């Protein structure tokens, strides 16, 4: 890919827009689905819980969440209007259980202690003020709730050409230091390795990712 193409891809990975954004959303869902499902398993979802996903993409995985337990309420939030509309379209059959919210990316439009479980996959690279945003998550999470934050480690991300454009990359140590500056107090780290399809080439790549289970 040429430099300008990589820049455009990076922009769409951060905030998918229009027809190209829909394509990128489908690609993100395909390349991230194992990370997403592993993150959902880590949440240990139980009956009647309220779940928030930050940066839901096209949300083609929501049915996998709603099938895990009874009486679940899922809320997905995203900065991309394209993904907001795609998520609603792909989840028309779950309107009573799934709600999708468009927001500006820094303040979560919810009351304090609204959610039992919160998760986010591959979004932390784009947080402009990460400590402040973690504190927003802390605010809307119930006292006994769980945050699962999943990201690909710096050593794997640095090999991808598009991450040179407006991505902030983290090692495990850097991420743990970041979280220690927020209101959150406890975390457990789990490391995974997987093969996935490249976003820029017709090949598979290996990557190491981390799932952080974070508590108040």
């Amino acid at each position: 890919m040429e430099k300008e193409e990589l820049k455009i891809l990076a922009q769409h990975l951060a905030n998918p827009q229009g027809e190209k954004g829909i394509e990128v959303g489908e690609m993100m869902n395909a390349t991230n689905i194992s990370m997403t499902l592993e993150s959902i398993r880590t949440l240990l979802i139980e009956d009647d819980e309220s779940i928030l996903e930050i940066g839901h993409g096209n949300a083609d995985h929501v049915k996998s969440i709603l099938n895990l337990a009874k009486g679940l309420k899922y809320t997905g939030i995203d900065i991309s209007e394209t993904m907001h509309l795609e998520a609603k379209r792909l989840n028309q059959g779950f309107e009573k259980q799934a709600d999708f919210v468009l927001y500006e990316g820094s303040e979560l439009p919810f009351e304090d202690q609204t959610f039992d479980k919160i998760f986010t996959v591959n979004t932390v690279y784009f947080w402009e003020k990460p400590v402040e945003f973690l504190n927003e998550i802390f605010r809307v999470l119930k006292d006994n709730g769980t945050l699962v934050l999943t990201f690909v480690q710096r050593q794997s991300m640095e090999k991808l050409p598009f991450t040179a454009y407006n991505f902030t990359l983290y090692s495990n140590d850097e991420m743990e230091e970041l979280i220690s500056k927020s209101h959150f107090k406890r975390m457990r780290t789990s490391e995974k390795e997987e093969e996935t399809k490249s976003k820029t080439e017709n090949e598979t790549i290996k990557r190491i990712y981390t799932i952080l289970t974070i508590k108040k």
Side-chain angles (χ1 to χ4, degrees), residues 9 14 23 62 64-65 70 91 144 151 153 161 165 170 183:
L9 175 59
E23 289 178 21
V62 167
S64 300
I65 298 172
K70 298 175 183 176
N91 291 281
N144 60 346
F151 66 100
Q153 293 179 16
Y165 306 102
Y170 297 92
H183 297 325

Side-chain angles (χ1 to χ4, degrees), residues 162-197:
F162 52 83
T163 62
Y165 306 102
N166 298 314
F167 278 66
T168 300
L169 308 182
Y170 297 92
S171 65
N172 280 354
D173 287 345
E174 289 166 332
M175 183 60 72
E176 289 176 16
E177 182 181 355
L178 179 71
I179 292 164
S180 73
K181 294 175 182 177
S182 76
H183 297 325
F184 285 105
K185 301 302 180 192
R186 295 176 291 143
M187 73 185 89
R188 187 176 72 248
T189 302
S190 174
E191 211 171 82
K192 307 280 184 181
E193 184 174 338
E194 68 169 359
E195 288 191 355
T196 189
K197 191 175 184 300

Side-chain angles (χ1 to χ4, degrees), residues 16-33:
Q17 298 293 326
E19 288 188 19
K20 178 65 175 176
I22 292 173
E23 289 178 21
V24 171
E26 290 172 352
M27 177 181 65
M28 282 195 292
N29 183 264
T31 57
N32 293 334
I33 190 64

Side-chain angles (χ1 to χ4, degrees), residues 1-3 5-11 13-14 122 125-126 152-170 199-200 205 207:
M1 273 190 172
E2 298 294 330
K3 183 176 178 180
E5 290 178 298
L6 290 170
K7 281 185 177 179
I8 291 168
L9 175 59
Q11 289 170 359
L13 289 170
N122 285 337
Y125 329 113
F126 311 115
V152 179
Q153 293 179 16
R154 175 189 285 276
Q155 66 191 75
S156 295
M157 291 291 276
E158 285 176 336
K159 298 173 184 175
L160 306 175
F162 52 83
T163 62
Y165 306 102
N166 298 314
F167 278 66
T168 300
L169 308 182
Y170 297 92
K199 292 179 175 66
T200 55
I205 57 171
R207 64 183 180 186

Side-chain angles (χ1 to χ4, degrees), residues 8-165:
I8 291 168
L9 175 59
Q11 289 170 359
H12 281 295
L13 289 170
N15 187 358
Q17 298 293 326
E19 288 188 19
K20 178 65 175 176
I22 292 173
E23 289 178 21
V24 171
E26 290 172 352
M27 177 181 65
M28 282 195 292
N29 183 264
T31 57
N32 293 334
I33 190 64
S34 63
M35 289 179 70
T36 300
L37 295 178
E38 196 67 41
S39 302
I40 292 165
R41 279 193 288 272
T42 304
L43 283 172
L44 302 177
I45 292 171
E46 298 179 358
D47 290 351
D48 301 315
E49 288 189 325
S50 182
I51 315 296
L52 173 65
E53 180 178 11
I54 299 169
H56 55 66
N58 72 7
D60 200 27
H61 55 275
V62 167
K63 56 184 175 291
S64 300
I65 298 172
L66 297 178
N67 287 333
L68 287 175
K70 298 175 183 176
L72 296 181
K73 174 63 178 173
Y74 167 94
T75 302
I77 193 165
D78 209 294
I79 61 171
S80 165
E81 184 175 4
T82 297
M83 290 298 94
H84 174 72
L85 294 173
E86 271 295 280
K88 291 180 80 169
R89 183 182 70 82
L90 291 172
N91 291 281
Q92 289 177 17
F94 305 109
E95 289 175 342
K96 290 182 179 179
Q97 284 182 275
D99 188 31
F100 297 96
V101 177
L102 191 63
Y103 82 128
E104 40 66 51
S106 60
E107 294 183 4
L108 297 171
F110 308 110
E111 298 291 327
D112 294 359
Q113 299 195 36
T114 298
F115 299 100
D116 298 287
K117 306 282 172 67
I118 300 177
F119 76 106
T120 188
V121 179
N122 285 337
T123 69
V124 69
Y125 329 113
F126 311 115
W127 297 359
E128 291 185 10
K129 296 179 179 179
V131 175
E132 288 89 337
F133 194 63
L134 281 166
N135 288 338
E136 267 292 279
I137 296 172
F138 183 96
R139 181 183 65 78
V140 303
L141 183 65
K142 292 180 182 178
D143 282 341
N144 60 346
T146 301
L147 164 64
V148 166
L149 191 161
T150 303
F151 66 100
V152 179
Q153 293 179 16
R154 175 189 285 276
Q155 66 191 75
S156 295
M157 291 291 276
E158 285 176 336
K159 298 173 184 175
L160 306 175
F162 52 83
T163 62
Y165 306 102

